[in-house]
Amino acid sequence: MFGFLKGKNKEFMIGSPVKGKAVPISEVNDPTFAEEILGKGVALMPEDGKICAPADGELSMVFDTLHAFSMTTKDGVEILVHVGLETVRLKGKGFTAHAKAGDKVQKGDLILTADFDVIKGEGLDTIIPVIICNTDEFKEVEALAGKEVNVGDDVLRVSPK
């Protein structure tokens, strides 16, 4: 009878861009992320340097310094994946891009590789915040932290208004 409601209020699941451990965003040692200034999210303590698309969508930006990328999912969720803290100052050292802005990507597609030995060698943190930049457009953004994850495993639940 109410078939027209089907598909409305469907939650969007955002996957992990990396193999590792999902932790609350509050554990990130940077107030911009920990205090959710850019939006709600989750953080990953990576086990390897393969950084993948957390959802299907289009890459909005791959930063020139290769330390981060942003994308918009087919459902309109704007995601920022930031590899490490203060890694912008490496100016691309230790990073390789495998995709570019404008590319259509599928969840799990390789976007960047990061050499964590290089990053750690510079004394930098390798934690990876994953932020929903348009948090205000959704009813709720919930981190699914406190667990080991593989690429693509659900780490964020986004509920539409």
Short mmCIF file of all heavy atoms in Angstrom, two decimals, residues 44-77:
data_model
loop_
_atom_site.label_atom_id
_atom_site.label_comp_id
_atom_site.label_asym_id
_atom_site.label_seq_id
_atom_site.Cartn_x
_atom_site.Cartn_y
_atom_site.Cartn_z
N LEU A 44 41.06 5.28 11.08
CA LEU A 44 41.62 3.95 10.87
C LEU A 44 43.09 3.94 11.22
O LEU A 44 43.82 4.85 10.81
CB LEU A 44 41.46 3.51 9.41
CG LEU A 44 40.06 3.19 8.89
CD1 LEU A 44 39.37 2.14 9.70
CD2 LEU A 44 39.23 4.36 8.63
N MET A 45 43.49 2.94 11.97
CA MET A 45 44.91 2.71 12.22
C MET A 45 45.32 1.66 11.19
O MET A 45 44.98 0.49 11.33
CB MET A 45 45.11 2.25 13.66
CG MET A 45 44.62 3.31 14.65
SD MET A 45 44.65 2.77 16.36
CE MET A 45 46.40 2.88 16.66
N PRO A 46 46.02 2.08 10.13
CA PRO A 46 46.26 1.21 8.98
C PRO A 46 47.32 0.13 9.23
O PRO A 46 48.28 0.33 9.96
CB PRO A 46 46.74 2.18 7.91
CG PRO A 46 47.41 3.27 8.69
CD PRO A 46 46.62 3.41 9.95
N GLU A 47 47.09 -1.01 8.56
CA GLU A 47 48.07 -2.10 8.57
C GLU A 47 48.91 -2.11 7.31
O GLU A 47 49.98 -2.70 7.29
CB GLU A 47 47.36 -3.45 8.72
CG GLU A 47 46.83 -3.68 10.11
CD GLU A 47 46.20 -5.06 10.25
OE1 GLU A 47 46.47 -5.96 9.43
OE2 GLU A 47 45.41 -5.22 11.20
N ASP A 48 48.39 -1.51 6.25
CA ASP A 48 49.18 -1.42 5.02
C ASP A 48 48.88 -0.11 4.32
O ASP A 48 48.02 0.65 4.77
CB ASP A 48 48.95 -2.64 4.10
CG ASP A 48 47.57 -2.71 3.50
OD1 ASP A 48 46.97 -1.66 3.18
OD2 ASP A 48 47.06 -3.83 3.32
N GLY A 49 49.59 0.15 3.26
CA GLY A 49 49.51 1.45 2.60
C GLY A 49 48.60 1.54 1.40
O GLY A 49 48.68 2.49 0.63
N LYS A 50 47.72 0.57 1.22
CA LYS A 50 46.78 0.61 0.09
C LYS A 50 45.53 1.35 0.54
O LYS A 50 44.75 0.85 1.35
CB LYS A 50 46.43 -0.80 -0.37
CG LYS A 50 47.62 -1.53 -0.96
CD LYS A 50 47.25 -2.94 -1.34
CE LYS A 50 48.49 -3.66 -1.84
NZ LYS A 50 48.31 -5.10 -1.89
N ILE A 51 45.33 2.55 0.00
CA ILE A 51 44.21 3.41 0.38
C ILE A 51 43.18 3.36 -0.75
O ILE A 51 43.48 3.77 -1.88
CB ILE A 51 44.66 4.86 0.62
CG1 ILE A 51 45.98 4.94 1.40
CG2 ILE A 51 43.55 5.66 1.29
CD1 ILE A 51 46.00 4.29 2.75
N CYS A 52 41.99 2.88 -0.43
CA CYS A 52 40.98 2.61 -1.45
C CYS A 52 39.74 3.49 -1.30
O CYS A 52 39.55 4.13 -0.27
CB CYS A 52 40.58 1.13 -1.36
SG CYS A 52 41.98 0.01 -1.61
N ALA A 53 38.91 3.47 -2.31
CA ALA A 53 37.64 4.20 -2.27
C ALA A 53 36.72 3.57 -1.23
O ALA A 53 36.52 2.35 -1.25
CB ALA A 53 36.97 4.19 -3.64
N PRO A 54 36.15 4.38 -0.32
CA PRO A 54 35.27 3.84 0.71
C PRO A 54 33.83 3.64 0.24
O PRO A 54 33.01 3.11 0.99
CB PRO A 54 35.33 4.91 1.81
CG PRO A 54 35.63 6.17 1.08
CD PRO A 54 36.48 5.78 -0.10
N ALA A 55 33.53 4.04 -1.00
CA ALA A 55 32.17 3.92 -1.54
C ALA A 55 32.23 4.10 -3.06
O ALA A 55 33.26 4.50 -3.60
CB ALA A 55 31.27 5.00 -0.92
N ASP A 56 31.13 3.82 -3.71
CA ASP A 56 30.99 4.10 -5.14
C ASP A 56 30.76 5.60 -5.30
O ASP A 56 30.02 6.20 -4.51
CB ASP A 56 29.79 3.38 -5.74
CG ASP A 56 29.92 1.86 -5.70
OD1 ASP A 56 31.00 1.35 -5.39
OD2 ASP A 56 28.90 1.19 -5.99
N GLY A 57 31.37 6.19 -6.29
CA GLY A 57 31.14 7.62 -6.53
C GLY A 57 32.16 8.21 -7.47
O GLY A 57 32.72 7.51 -8.32
N GLU A 58 32.40 9.51 -7.30
CA GLU A 58 33.34 10.23 -8.15
C GLU A 58 34.36 10.97 -7.29
O GLU A 58 33.99 11.62 -6.30
CB GLU A 58 32.58 11.25 -9.01
CG GLU A 58 33.50 12.00 -9.97
CD GLU A 58 32.72 12.92 -10.92
OE1 GLU A 58 31.55 12.64 -11.20
OE2 GLU A 58 33.32 13.91 -11.36
N LEU A 59 35.62 10.87 -7.67
CA LEU A 59 36.66 11.61 -6.95
C LEU A 59 36.51 13.09 -7.25
O LEU A 59 36.51 13.50 -8.41
CB LEU A 59 38.05 11.14 -7.37
CG LEU A 59 38.46 9.75 -6.90
CD1 LEU A 59 39.83 9.38 -7.45
CD2 LEU A 59 38.46 9.66 -5.39
N SER A 60 36.35 13.88 -6.22
CA SER A 60 36.23 15.33 -6.35
C SER A 60 37.62 15.95 -6.44
O SER A 60 37.85 16.88 -7.20
CB SER A 60 35.50 15.93 -5.16
OG SER A 60 34.30 15.24 -4.91
N MET A 61 38.53 15.43 -5.61
CA MET A 61 39.88 15.98 -5.56
C MET A 61 40.85 14.92 -5.06
O MET A 61 40.54 14.16 -4.16
CB MET A 61 39.91 17.18 -4.60
CG MET A 61 41.28 17.84 -4.53
SD MET A 61 41.46 19.18 -3.31
CE MET A 61 39.93 20.00 -3.30
N VAL A 62 42.02 14.89 -5.69
CA VAL A 62 43.18 14.19 -5.15
C VAL A 62 44.18 15.31 -4.93
O VAL A 62 44.59 15.97 -5.88
CB VAL A 62 43.73 13.11 -6.12
CG1 VAL A 62 44.99 12.49 -5.55
CG2 VAL A 62 42.67 12.04 -6.39
N PHE A 63 44.51 15.56 -3.67
CA PHE A 63 45.38 16.69 -3.34
C PHE A 63 46.72 16.55 -4.06
O PHE A 63 47.23 15.44 -4.24
CB PHE A 63 45.60 16.76 -1.83
CG PHE A 63 44.38 17.24 -1.08
CD1 PHE A 63 43.24 16.45 -0.98
CD2 PHE A 63 44.38 18.48 -0.47
CE1 PHE A 63 42.12 16.89 -0.29
CE2 PHE A 63 43.26 18.93 0.22
CZ PHE A 63 42.13 18.14 0.31
N ASP A 64 47.29 17.68 -4.48
CA ASP A 64 48.59 17.68 -5.18
C ASP A 64 49.66 16.98 -4.36
O ASP A 64 50.58 16.38 -4.92
CB ASP A 64 49.05 19.12 -5.47
CG ASP A 64 48.18 19.81 -6.51
OD1 ASP A 64 47.45 19.11 -7.24
OD2 ASP A 64 48.23 21.04 -6.57
N THR A 65 49.55 17.08 -3.05
CA THR A 65 50.54 16.47 -2.16
C THR A 65 50.23 15.00 -1.89
O THR A 65 50.97 14.35 -1.15
CB THR A 65 50.59 17.24 -0.83
OG1 THR A 65 49.25 17.38 -0.35
CG2 THR A 65 51.21 18.61 -1.02
N LEU A 66 49.16 14.49 -2.47
CA LEU A 66 48.76 13.08 -2.43
C LEU A 66 48.47 12.54 -1.03
O LEU A 66 48.33 11.33 -0.86
CB LEU A 66 49.81 12.19 -3.13
CG LEU A 66 50.20 12.61 -4.54
CD1 LEU A 66 51.25 11.65 -5.10
CD2 LEU A 66 48.98 12.66 -5.46
N HIS A 67 48.34 13.41 -0.05
CA HIS A 67 48.11 12.96 1.32
C HIS A 67 46.62 12.78 1.63
O HIS A 67 46.27 12.30 2.71
CB HIS A 67 48.71 13.95 2.32
CG HIS A 67 47.92 15.22 2.43
ND1 HIS A 67 47.90 16.17 1.43
CD2 HIS A 67 47.08 15.66 3.40
CE1 HIS A 67 47.09 17.16 1.79
NE2 HIS A 67 46.58 16.87 2.98
N ALA A 68 45.74 13.15 0.70
CA ALA A 68 44.31 13.07 0.94
C ALA A 68 43.55 13.10 -0.37
O ALA A 68 44.08 13.54 -1.40
CB ALA A 68 43.87 14.24 1.82
N PHE A 69 42.30 12.62 -0.29
CA PHE A 69 41.40 12.76 -1.43
C PHE A 69 39.98 12.95 -0.91
O PHE A 69 39.67 12.59 0.23
CB PHE A 69 41.49 11.58 -2.40
CG PHE A 69 41.01 10.25 -1.86
CD1 PHE A 69 39.67 9.87 -1.97
CD2 PHE A 69 41.89 9.38 -1.25
CE1 PHE A 69 39.23 8.65 -1.49
CE2 PHE A 69 41.46 8.15 -0.76
CZ PHE A 69 40.13 7.77 -0.88
N SER A 70 39.16 13.55 -1.76
CA SER A 70 37.75 13.69 -1.43
C SER A 70 36.94 13.11 -2.56
O SER A 70 37.40 13.03 -3.70
CB SER A 70 37.39 15.15 -1.19
OG SER A 70 37.59 15.91 -2.36
N MET A 71 35.74 12.68 -2.21
CA MET A 71 34.86 12.08 -3.21
C MET A 71 33.42 12.34 -2.81
O MET A 71 33.13 12.65 -1.65
CB MET A 71 35.13 10.59 -3.36
CG MET A 71 34.79 9.75 -2.14
SD MET A 71 34.98 7.98 -2.44
CE MET A 71 33.66 7.68 -3.63
N THR A 72 32.53 12.21 -3.77
CA THR A 72 31.11 12.31 -3.53
C THR A 72 30.48 10.99 -3.99
O THR A 72 30.72 10.56 -5.12
CB THR A 72 30.48 13.49 -4.29
OG1 THR A 72 31.15 14.69 -3.89
CG2 THR A 72 28.99 13.61 -3.99
N THR A 73 29.73 10.36 -3.09
CA THR A 73 29.09 9.10 -3.45
C THR A 73 27.90 9.36 -4.35
O THR A 73 27.41 10.48 -4.46
CB THR A 73 28.59 8.34 -2.20
OG1 THR A 73 27.45 9.02 -1.67
CG2 THR A 73 29.68 8.21 -1.15
N LYS A 74 27.39 8.30 -4.95
CA LYS A 74 26.21 8.41 -5.81
C LYS A 74 25.00 8.88 -5.00
O LYS A 74 24.04 9.40 -5.57
CB LYS A 74 25.94 7.10 -6.54
CG LYS A 74 25.79 5.89 -5.65
CD LYS A 74 25.70 4.61 -6.47
CE LYS A 74 25.65 3.37 -5.63
NZ LYS A 74 24.50 3.22 -4.78
N ASP A 75 25.06 8.74 -3.66
CA ASP A 75 23.97 9.17 -2.78
C ASP A 75 24.19 10.59 -2.25
O ASP A 75 23.42 11.05 -1.40
CB ASP A 75 23.82 8.20 -1.61
CG ASP A 75 23.51 6.78 -2.08
OD1 ASP A 75 22.55 6.63 -2.85
OD2 ASP A 75 24.24 5.85 -1.70
N GLY A 76 25.26 11.27 -2.69
CA GLY A 76 25.51 12.65 -2.27
C GLY A 76 26.29 12.82 -0.99
O GLY A 76 26.36 13.91 -0.44
N VAL A 77 26.89 11.74 -0.49
CA VAL A 77 27.71 11.83 0.71
C VAL A 77 29.10 12.31 0.31
O VAL A 77 29.75 11.71 -0.56
CB VAL A 77 27.81 10.46 1.44
CG1 VAL A 77 28.64 10.58 2.70
CG2 VAL A 77 26.42 9.91 1.76
#
